[in-house]
Amino acid sequence: MKKNDIKHRKKRKRKYFCIVKQISINKYTFRVFIIGIFLVNAVFMHASETSSEEDSIICSLITCSPYEKEIYSLYGHTAIRYKDLRRNQDWVFNYGVFNFKKPFFALRFALGLTDYELGAVPYHLFIEEYKRQNRTVTEQVLNLNHEEKIYLFKALVINLEPDNREYRYNYFTNNCTTKARDMIERCIEGTVYYFHDSKSELTYRKITDDYTAKHPWARFCNNLCLGLTADTMLANREWQFLPDNLKADFSQVIVGNDSMQYQLVVQENILLRQRVTQEESSFVITPWMVFSMLLLLTVLLTWVEFKRNKHFLWLDVSLWAVLSVAGILLTVLFFSKHPTTSTNLQILILNPIPLFFLHNIIRNRPTRFWKFEVGMIILFLIGAFFQEYAEGMLLLALCLLIRCVYNISGGTLPKLLNRQ
């Protein structure tokens, strides 16, 4: 029985995560998590008996600032806090729990088939983790009546049950921030009114770029995966997938019913304030630098080829082999259920098609592959007017174009140009 218990506990091990956030859970915290489920249910049974005159319950939206040291935490985090002062109960509900050890997790994440779930931990454990990471945590106390608070708590408890806690995660439309928003909205009796006057020109790409400004390679990977639809203007609530954006909107939300209108947030508290630390300046090689060096190297090697009447076969083989492998990722994302990755024009130059021609390229046989690639590159360059590409991708396209033109001409084109 002991061995089975140990195996069972390992299978139930979880990490807090969203585009947003990751917290590791040790064995002690995990035990508290399991016990907490039963405590929360017990509290709910007693809380439902509390009259509105004796309301001691506080419900709030928790927003955590980004954490620059972990890529998973670059966008911040959102949670819901339920606090009963009378019974000394304080819980944080979080929709960012996932099991990283599930089979084919990375592939399922890329295809948009990842399941996340709701979890609950005591507030003191939650806040201690953010204190250790030196992050700002803000609480927005919600203006809910007693019935709405009980309804919210009941919905969270029901959602916490094993059969209900999982949901299909989506990077932009269904993450731990949007789930918290939807749960709060569901318990409000009136109509929720948002104001979006200053967000009319925002896109998914622009918003995520702001959060990865200090992390050029994270920004490069994001923009490499995001497709054409990531450059369309966001409408209304779409920008609320990020914690800071939802927090900003909640501070202006008006709730209206037949008899009155009132603000949803009655008080905003800074639970933790980030300590000012001296930033370490370090040199970072950016994607632009890498692709600029690649373009320069391609030009120099091509020049040496025609000057010495040689063909650097290894250059073409290595270049297209690497790009083909990278293209497999974009091909997978092309079939993803994520709404912003399926129509990605960068697949015109990053795709696995060259793998089928590597044999001919190695044997240096005449092939239509070079002309085919020129057509793809031209379409890619035209697509730059409609989609914003990842940093340096245009330079990469120029590298490929130079090699295609040189191979089509058989090394004679530079000599003809030189004669003229």
Side-chain angles (χ1 to χ4, degrees), residues 311-321 354-367 369-370 407:
H311 182 204
F312 295 149
L313 188 61
W314 60 268
L315 178 59
D316 292 322
V317 173
S318 58
L319 187 60
W320 259 273
L355 287 176
F356 300 99
F357 293 91
L358 276 181
H359 180 73
N360 287 337
I361 295 174
I362 292 173
R363 290 180 173 272
N364 199 19
R365 293 175 178 175
T367 176
F369 168 73
W370 304 114
N407 280 279

Side-chain angles (χ1 to χ4, degrees), residues 246-266:
L246 181 63
K247 173 191 163 195
D249 272 5
F250 260 41
S251 64
Q252 304 178 57
V253 162
I254 298 295
V255 178
N257 51 40
D258 295 336
S259 59
M260 61 184 297
Q261 289 186 345
Y262 57 92
Q263 286 188 322
L264 178 60
V265 175
V266 293

Side-chain angles (χ1 to χ4, degrees), residues 8 11 16 20 27 46 55 68 77 100 113-114 146 180 298 326 355 360 371 374:
H8 178 70
K11 288 182 179 179
Y16 283 99
V20 265
K27 293 181 179 179
H46 292 287
D55 190 3
E68 299 290 340
H77 184 51
F100 188 77
L113 301 175
T114 312
H146 182 72
T298 301
L355 287 176
N360 287 337
K371 293 181 180 180
V374 169

Side-chain angles (χ1 to χ4, degrees), residues 74-120:
L74 291 178
Y75 306 94
H77 184 51
T78 299
I80 298 175
R81 183 183 182 186
Y82 176 88
K83 183 178 183 180
D84 191 333
L85 299 173
R86 184 181 177 188
R87 292 180 173 82
N88 196 28
Q89 298 291 336
D90 202 348
W91 292 90
V92 175
F93 293 86
N94 165 43
Y95 278 94
V97 180
F98 77 104
N99 186 357
F100 188 77
K101 293 184 178 180
K102 278 189 176 182
F104 306 107
F105 178 84
L107 179 61
R108 290 175 61 84
F109 184 85
L111 291 173
L113 301 175
T114 312
D115 290 327
Y116 283 56
E117 61 184 62
L118 172 65

Side-chain angles (χ1 to χ4, degrees), residues 231-390:
D231 294 307
T232 57
M233 300 302 174
L234 299 181
N236 299 327
R237 290 151 42 101
E238 290 179 332
W239 93 313
Q240 294 174 357
F241 73 97
L242 285 175
D244 286 339
N245 295 349
L246 181 63
K247 173 191 163 195
D249 272 5
F250 260 41
S251 64
Q252 304 178 57
V253 162
I254 298 295
V255 178
N257 51 40
D258 295 336
S259 59
M260 61 184 297
Q261 289 186 345
Y262 57 92
Q263 286 188 322
L264 178 60
V265 175
V266 293
Q267 186 177 351
E268 187 168 304
N269 306 317
I270 306 296
L271 303 177
L272 278 180
R273 192 180 298 276
Q274 185 178 24
R275 302 183 303 274
V276 179
T277 57
Q278 187 175 0
E279 295 186 2
E280 297 180 1
S281 57
S282 58
F283 176 75
V284 178
I285 298 177
T286 65
W288 183 268
M289 296 177 186
V290 172
F291 287 112
S292 297
M293 293 171 62
L294 179 62
L295 177 59
L296 179 60
L297 181 63
T298 301
V299 171
L300 290 176
L301 290 176
T302 304
W303 178 261
V304 172
E305 278 182 311
F306 105 86
K307 275 290 188 181
R308 297 185 179 181
N309 196 22
K310 291 184 177 181
H311 182 204
F312 295 149
L313 188 61
W314 60 268
L315 178 59
D316 292 322
V317 173
S318 58
L319 187 60
W320 259 273
V322 172
L323 296 182
S324 297
V325 174
I328 294 176
L329 172 62
L330 261 64
T331 304
V332 171
L333 291 174
F334 198 81
F335 299 98
S336 174
K337 292 187 178 296
H338 289 299
T340 57
T341 60
S342 57
T343 309
N344 191 343
L345 300 181
Q346 293 170 114
I347 201 173
L348 292 169
I349 62 172
L350 287 181
N351 56 73
I353 294 178
L355 287 176
F356 300 99
F357 293 91
L358 276 181
H359 180 73
N360 287 337
I361 295 174
I362 292 173
R363 290 180 173 272
N364 199 19
R365 293 175 178 175
T367 176
R368 296 179 181 178
F369 168 73
W370 304 114
K371 293 181 180 180
F372 170 78
E373 280 296 323
V374 169
M376 298 286 276
I377 294 169
I378 292 174
L379 290 176
F380 173 82
L381 295 175
I382 294 174
F385 292 98
F386 305 96
Q387 177 183 329
E388 184 177 338
Y389 295 144

